[in-house]
Each structure stands twice: as structure tokens, then as C-alpha cells.
Amino acid sequence: MDTALPITIAAVAILVFVSLLVTIMGRKGRSSEGNSSAPRQKNRATIIRDCTKKLAHNPQNVQALEPLAELYYSEHLWDKAYPLYETLLGLSARHTEINIGETNLRLGVCLVKLGKAQESINSLLTALKVKPESYEANFYLGQAMYKTGDYEKAIPLMKKSLTINPETQGIYQPIGMACYKAHKFKEATQYLRRALDENPEDKEALFALADAMQECGFGDKALKIFMHLRPDPKFGAQSSLSAGIIHTKMQQLENAAQDFEIGLKLPDVPQETYLELNYRLAACYFRINKIALGLDCLNKIQAVVPVYKDVNQLIARYKELNSNSNLQVYLTSGTSDFVALCRNLVKIFHKNSFVKIVDVAVITDSIEILCEVENAKWEDKELFRFYRNSGSIGELYIRDFHAKIRDTKCDKGYCITSGSFSEEARKFIDGRPIDLIEKAQLMKYLKLIS
């Protein structure tokens, strides 16, 4: 008992001492952490002060230029580092202590960062010759080539930088974009997917991925991305255009029109995209018989570029259609409505006679109606052929029609078109029981139908 008490007291005293020691050391550690930036700030200020003083006496003082340039470079102050490295490069012929490869590399990097890609290429090429396995030399020379539009040279350089340092973040996006710009679409999709894994918010990479997928034949997958990007202020207009084109190919004209409309509502749409959106939207409206809306789109185009594509011809054509509903049906309606209109036209041709329609045949490029006509003075068996195209019908078509008249033992034939007939076709009907009805005469008959 007598010996146990002193031992216990000694143990407690040791524990108290250790705990006090830990507390004091902790406070010192925190104090040193709080002041850790002070030496760095002091060191930076010292470097700038000392180097500036030396350069004031001698602007070509290499011992002052190098540490000051390195300081600015490490702080990404490219505009300050650039003139210093340019001066060092100019002095390198007389000062062998200057590292040519490193100086060229850093000068080139500064130029790329300052948006002077073309000017950076010579320095970066020199740096690459000195250090072919340098990550920075390969990457920034690739960046310079990309920014000057030389994508074929940019791709292998940036790929090599990835090989040198596979763990680098942010390298997949520039490689993917270079492949995309070089029209290597399949390869681009691989890198762009990796880029989006790193940064899902990269809209430029997302748009390029969708466009590359469309070029590779995956339009359905690309469509989802384009539709997602439609509201984007930068890529929305082009995405709306691309989505509308895909929907048009899928014959989903209402969806296509909606895509184009969304694109046109965005602010600051580039002129070329604005014109194309209106042009394709007009085509959609015409196909779904919204002619007035389509004409409004064409008028907007004409107000910006009076001779854009075939806008003037389309305006003339659809103005005429808009003023004549029967002509709209003749040129743009479905087969059943077109057949019904042609049956009425046959009856208009013989208003004062009894017309019995015997047969209606829908052919690839036309409709044929076989009928019997009776009145108080005569009877005829007649064949009508209606063409919907607005071009010129040639002699071969009329020869074929004449053969059909003979085969069906008809007394007469009428060939009607919303376009015109060639001179050879008109000569062929001389002495033959065929009448050719061109657009101007067709319009007169269409106006007689209520």
C-alpha cells in the first residue's frame, strides 16, 4: 500500500505533462499553418523587387529575367511572362546558360494562352525537337495546330501527350473536338464520350458528339441529344435545326416544325442558321398545307437575303396556291383528295353531257380516269391523264399516253399537267386525238369547281 500510492501519483503527473505538451505543440502547429502564406508572399515580393531593380540597370540581365519569368509563368500571368521569355530567347545565342528547349516551350505556351496560336508554332516545334517526349510540348503544339485549323496534325500530337501522361484531366475533349473537326466522326465519339464522363456540362462536346453520331448513322440517338440542347443559348439554334432535319427524314413533320420554331425563338441566332431554319420551316408548313405560315417564313428570308436559294420562285408558286384552294389540292393534297378533284375536272370538261366514270387508275407519277361521255349529238369513250409536276412533260410520255388510248379503244384523250409540254410533245399530237392542257388552261377549269 505504501509503495502503490507514490507510483500512482507519478503516473498521473506524467499523463498531465504529456497532455500539456500535446496541447502546446498543437497550438504551435496551428500558428505556423496560419502564417504559412506569409513567407511565400514575402518571397514573391522579394523576387519581384530584386529582379525589377536589376533589370532597371540592365534589361538583359539573365539572372533577373529567368526567376521573374518563372514566377509569372507559375502564376499563369501569361501576358507578363511572355515578353520576358521572348527577351531570354533573343539572348540565348550569347548566353549558353539559357535552356533553349524550356524557354521555347514556355514562350510557346504563353502565346497559345494569349490567343496567338500561329505565332506559337515555331517555338513549340523547337521545344518538341529538344524534348520529343515532353507532355507540354506535344499538347500545346497540338492545341496550336487545332486553333489554326490544322486538325490532321493536331490529332497525333495530342494523342501522344495522352500516351505520355494518361492520367491527365481534360485531354479527351480537345482530342475529340479535333477528330470531329477533321470529320473523323467514329473516332471523335470515343473521345467525346470520355470527355463528357469528366465534364457532363460541356455543351460543346455534347453537341459535337450528337453531330458525330448523326454522321455515323445513329440519328435516333443523336436526336435525343439535339432535343436536349434546343434551349441552349449557344448551341440551341443549330441543335433545333439538326433535330428538325432528323424529324423531317422520319416524316414527323409536326415535330420538325416545332424544332424549327424553337430554334427561331432563341436570341442572337446566327444569320446563316436563321435563314436555314426559316427555309426548312417553310417547307414543313407547305407539306402540312399551312401555306400562309410558310409564305411568312419565306418573306422573312427575302427581307434578309433577297436571292436566298429558290425563295423567290417558291414565293411566286405558293402565293398562287394560297389564292386558289383547288390548285392547292391538285399539287399538295393526298391521293384520295387529288382523285376526287380530278373526277370533278372530268365532269367540268363536259358540263352539258352525261359523264360516266368507268375506271380510275393511280400510277406512280399520274392518275388516269377512263370515262364514257354522252350528249344529244354524240357519244365518246375518253381517257384523261393528270400530272401533278410543275416541270415540262416530254414526247415519250405523250407517246405512252397515245399507246394507252389505242389499247383501251378510246375515241379521245386529254393529258393535263400543272406544268407545261415540250415542243416535241406538241408536234407529236398533230393529227392524233389528243388534247394537251397546260397550267394556264388548267387554272381556268379549277376556278369553275366550287
Side-chain angles (χ1 to χ4, degrees):
M1 288 291 291
D2 293 339
T3 58
L5 184 60
I7 292 170
T8 304
I9 293 170
V12 170
I14 290 168
L15 285 171
V16 170
F17 175 75
V18 168
S19 115
L20 285 169
L21 188 61
V22 168
T23 304
I24 291 166
M25 292 299 291
R27 285 176 181 172
K28 283 185 177 179
R30 286 193 294 274
S31 176
S32 65
E33 286 174 9
N35 296 326
S36 62
S37 63
R40 284 202 299 270
Q41 290 295 329
K42 185 178 180 182
N43 189 42
R44 179 185 189 277
T46 302
I47 291 171
I48 294 173
R49 185 182 68 248
D50 293 347
C51 291
T52 304
K53 190 182 294 183
K54 290 175 184 177
L55 290 171
H57 289 93
N58 178 13
Q60 297 184 348
N61 187 325
V62 174
Q63 286 70 38
L65 287 166
E66 284 186 331
L68 189 58
E70 186 172 353
L71 174 69
Y72 289 144
Y73 186 87
S74 66
E75 294 180 346
H76 298 172
L77 299 173
W78 315 114
D79 56 331
K80 292 185 176 181
Y82 158 62
L84 299 175
Y85 282 117
E86 189 175 41
T87 303
L88 282 166
L89 191 61
L91 296 171
S92 61
R94 291 185 285 114
H95 292 268
T96 55
E97 71 271 24
I98 296 174
N99 187 323
I100 298 292
E102 189 70 13
T103 303
N104 271 292
L105 173 61
R106 293 191 171 192
L107 177 61
V109 172
C110 289
L111 285 165
V112 171
K113 295 290 188 180
L114 292 170
K116 300 177 179 180
Q118 187 64 55
E119 297 172 45
S120 73
I121 291 174
N122 286 337
S123 295
L124 292 169
L125 280 170
T126 303
L128 190 64
K129 286 176 185 176
V130 176
K131 294 180 70 177
E133 298 305 313
S134 164
Y135 167 82
E136 283 187 309
N138 281 281
F139 177 75
Y140 283 105
L141 183 56
Q143 282 278 289
M145 294 296 186
Y146 174 81
K147 290 180 178 181
T148 56
D150 200 342
Y151 309 118
E152 293 291 346
K153 289 181 181 177
I155 294 167
L157 287 163
M158 287 193 283
K159 281 184 179 178
K160 187 172 181 181
S161 68
L162 179 61
T163 305
I164 295 167
N165 191 355
E167 302 303 319
T168 306
Q169 293 288 311
I171 186 68
Y172 292 104
Q173 200 265 11
I175 299 176
M177 289 304 300
C179 290
Y180 170 71
K181 298 278 189 180
H183 295 175
K184 299 177 184 289
F185 298 115
K186 187 175 181 181
E187 195 174 1
T189 58
Q190 301 168 11
Y191 289 102
L192 290 169
R193 283 196 177 99
R194 295 290 296 271
L196 288 164
D197 288 341
E198 290 182 349
N199 181 14
E201 299 303 314
D202 188 340
K203 299 295 175 62
E204 182 183 26
L206 190 59
F207 175 81
L209 175 62
D211 202 35
M213 289 169 67
Q214 184 184 10
E215 292 289 344
C216 292
F218 299 104
D220 52 338
K221 294 180 180 178
L223 178 61
K224 294 177 182 178
I225 299 175
F226 286 134
M227 291 180 70
H228 170 72
L229 285 172
R230 286 183 309 185
D232 186 78
K234 185 173 182 181
F235 298 99
Q238 190 61 46
S239 296
S240 298
L241 178 60
S242 298
I245 290 170
I246 295 172
H247 274 133
T248 302
K249 289 178 181 176
M250 296 166 68
Q251 301 301 317
Q252 297 179 16
L253 298 177
E254 295 285 354
N255 289 335
Q258 185 182 53
D259 293 326
F260 300 137
E261 288 165 352
I262 290 171
L264 287 167
K265 288 176 183 175
L266 294 168
D268 303 320
V269 178
Q271 180 175 297
E272 185 179 349
T273 309
Y274 172 82
L275 295 171
E276 191 64 18
L277 281 165
N278 271 299
Y279 186 82
R280 289 184 177 272
L281 179 57
C284 278
Y285 282 149
F286 293 145
R287 288 178 66 181
I288 56 180
N289 289 323
K290 295 182 178 180
I291 292 176
L293 291 175
L295 282 168
D296 184 52
C297 293
L298 295 181
N299 287 329
K300 288 176 181 177
I301 295 171
Q302 197 179 50
V304 179
V305 179
V307 291
Y308 186 78
K309 294 187 178 181
D310 58 343
V311 164
N312 291 331
Q313 296 93 310
L314 289 172
I315 288 175
R317 180 187 180 196
Y318 283 100
K319 268 186 178 178
E320 188 176 52
L321 281 176
N322 203 36
S323 65
N324 189 324
S325 59
N326 286 327
L327 185 60
Q328 282 186 43
V329 174
Y330 191 95
L331 291 174
T332 64
S333 67
T335 303
S336 59
D337 289 338
F338 181 48
V339 169
L341 180 66
C342 291
R343 291 171 71 100
N344 284 328
L345 280 169
V346 168
K347 293 173 183 176
I348 290 293
F349 271 78
H350 299 293
K351 285 185 70 174
N352 300 318
S353 303
F354 174 74
V355 179
K356 179 185 177 183
I357 294 176
V358 178
D359 186 41
V360 177
V362 179
I363 310 170
T364 305
D365 57 353
S366 61
I367 285 177
E368 286 184 352
I369 297 179
L370 180 65
C371 62
E372 294 174 353
V373 183
E374 294 181 24
N375 64 27
K377 297 180 180 178
W378 51 267
E379 291 181 11
D380 263 351
K381 186 178 181 183
E382 298 179 351
L383 183 66
F384 287 77
R385 180 181 283 185
F386 296 90
Y387 286 100
R388 304 179 85 171
N389 68 315
S390 55
S392 178
I393 304 294
E395 179 189 347
L396 288 176
Y397 290 91
I398 307 306
R399 283 182 179 275
D400 174 73
F401 182 53
H402 182 249
K404 193 70 176 285
I405 291 171
R406 281 202 318 265
D407 294 342
T408 52
K409 297 182 171 59
C410 287
D411 300 295
K412 191 168 184 179
Y414 295 89
C415 194
I416 301 106
T417 178
S418 53
S420 60
F421 295 97
S422 69
E423 190 61 34
E424 292 78 10
R426 292 194 191 93
K427 288 178 181 177
F428 177 79
I429 66 167
D430 285 346
R432 293 182 172 92
I434 300 174
D435 281 357
L436 301 180
I437 310 296
E438 294 184 314
K439 182 180 178 181
Q441 196 172 353
L442 170 64
M443 291 285 289
K444 293 177 182 177
Y445 287 114
L446 287 171
K447 287 177 181 177
L448 296 174
I449 299 174
S450 60

